[in-house]
Amino acid sequence: MMRYEGNEKLADETACAGVRADLKMCLLESDYCRVDRKTPRQCLIDNNVPPECQVLRNTFYECKRSLLNNRQRFRGRKGY
């Protein structure tokens, strides 16, 4: 998880924005994106996600899924 110093805020204030930003940065730092010059979207489509980013991918999935689940209105969204 990335930590933001001071008054830094994400421009995106939508739900699951923090998880999305962390997943994007993790994918951009992977060898598939740096060496092979692929985009993070292409990495996800090709299912070539490195193990360290797999946890963020699952967290992002659960966060998006919790938006559709009515029980989560009372419990809060998963993720951060």
Side-chain angles (χ1 to χ4, degrees), residues 23-24 26-55 57:
L23 177 61
K24 182 179 177 182
C26 183
L27 290 172
L28 284 172
E29 293 170 358
S30 70
D31 287 339
Y32 190 73
C33 288
R34 282 189 296 146
V35 177
D36 296 341
R37 303 291 231 185
K38 302 287 184 177
T39 63
R41 177 178 285 198
Q42 191 64 34
C43 181
L44 291 172
I45 291 172
D46 294 345
N47 203 15
N48 205 353
V49 179
E52 57 270 10
C53 299
Q54 192 67 35
V55 174
R57 182 181 184 186

Side-chain angles (χ1 to χ4, degrees), residues 1-14 16-26 28-29 56 80:
M1 175 167 57
M2 294 178 63
R3 300 284 180 202
Y4 302 102
E5 310 253 342
N7 292 333
E8 280 186 69
K9 296 257 183 185
L10 290 174
D12 187 11
E13 293 291 331
T14 60
C16 308
V19 181
R20 180 185 298 120
D22 290 345
L23 177 61
K24 182 179 177 182
M25 292 308 297
C26 183
L28 284 172
E29 293 170 358
L56 286 171
Y80 46 90

